[in-house]
Amino acid sequence: MTALRFDTYDWSGGREAMLRFGSDAGPIVIAALPLFEEANRTRQFLVTILRALAALGIGSVLPDLPGTGESIVATGEARLRDQRTAYTDLAQYLGRNTYGISIRSGALFDTDAALAGRWQLSAQTGEDLLRELDRARVASRSAQASETDYAGNTLSHEMLADLRDATPHAGAGHLRGVRLESDPREADVKYAASPLWRRSEPDNDIPLVQIIARDISHWIASCER
């Protein structure tokens, strides 16, 4: 099993924890989980991808961004702009051969970072995320809760404003969009699998992990040429 190391990184607003996988030499990946409950449902899946990448010779980090994971910043105090700043500072620290991989709303974090490339699985806009949180609030019969209470997540008005206008990076540079076959939106490639972020409990998909790890490895190799 690939060694996992605990580490920290500094950003302009403080210090956060991160996990390191594989070698520090050569290209390195910053991995970004989606926001809120989807992070819990996909964390094991993403960690397994990072272990598979390490076995292929690609190192990676999985950071806690402000207001996520074990961050000392409470969810209700989180701002997307701070999460983007922390991501950007980490990318600058890691260096020029740094790639971003993200799942769902995790694609909203890397927009300002100087990355060698971006690989996005089912990238989601902030507006789409808020729409899904609204549906979850209604489904859980909590529609009478505070207007900033989204399915158990208390979000600031500032965070909500940040998310309403947030979109993934779509500018110049190496960008690979990946989706599942059930998703009608355009993508560079689609894979047959069920969306783990829709399941009621955290889960994994080892066959999809192996497919994605190879996809990312080949994509990075093409970017490095």
Side-chain angles (χ1 to χ4, degrees):
M1 181 174 291
T2 305
L4 177 154
R5 294 165 286 156
F6 294 91
D7 201 352
T8 60
Y9 71 98
D10 294 320
W11 67 288
S12 56
R15 174 172 292 180
E16 297 289 353
M18 66 178 175
L19 300 178
R20 281 184 175 269
F21 302 82
S23 173
D24 295 334
I28 191 165
V29 161
I30 302 177
L33 287 161
L35 282 160
F36 312 129
E37 186 57 33
E38 287 190 2
N40 298 326
R41 296 173 188 155
T42 58
R43 185 178 181 86
Q44 182 184 7
F45 173 62
L46 183 54
V47 166
T48 311
I49 291 172
L50 300 184
R51 288 189 183 277
L53 286 175
L56 295 172
I58 299 172
S60 62
V61 298
L62 176 58
D64 285 343
L65 299 173
T68 72
E70 301 301 319
S71 172
I72 61 173
V73 178
T75 303
E77 298 173 359
R79 292 290 307 271
L80 180 60
R81 69 179 187 185
D82 291 337
Q83 293 165 343
R84 285 175 165 174
T85 297
Y87 189 108
T88 299
D89 289 350
L90 174 57
Q92 183 176 9
Y93 166 73
L94 291 173
R96 63 181 182 179
N97 283 359
T98 301
Y99 295 83
I101 68 171
S102 59
I103 298 175
R104 300 275 283 166
S105 57
L108 300 176
F109 299 134
D110 66 25
T111 54
D112 302 321
L115 296 173
R118 292 165 171 82
W119 185 99
Q120 302 168 343
L121 175 60
S122 298
Q124 186 182 40
T125 67
E127 184 178 10
D128 286 341
L129 171 60
L130 290 177
R131 189 178 300 113
E132 292 196 356
L133 290 174
D134 273 328
R135 285 199 293 264
R137 177 164 57 178
V138 172
S140 64
R141 301 181 181 179
S142 58
Q144 301 304 314
S146 165
E147 63 179 1
T148 59
D149 184 354
Y150 279 72
N153 298 289
T154 301
L155 310 182
S156 68
H157 289 286
E158 293 81 6
M159 181 64 157
L160 293 173
D162 289 348
L163 288 173
R164 286 191 188 101
D165 297 327
T167 57
H169 176 89
H174 298 289
L175 176 64
R176 183 164 175 81
V178 178
R179 296 190 180 276
L180 304 183
E181 287 185 349
S182 58
D183 191 332
R185 288 169 290 186
E186 292 185 1
D188 294 307
V189 66
K190 294 189 177 184
Y191 293 122
S194 62
L196 294 172
W197 48 87
R198 300 289 189 200
R199 299 183 185 179
S200 58
E201 298 292 337
D203 205 348
N204 210 344
D205 186 333
I206 300 303
L208 183 59
V209 163
Q210 298 302 321
I211 291 171
I212 284 178
R214 289 193 297 270
D215 187 299
I216 294 172
S217 176
H218 293 158
W219 169 71
I220 290 178
S222 70
C223 293
E224 292 281 297
R225 294 192 188 107

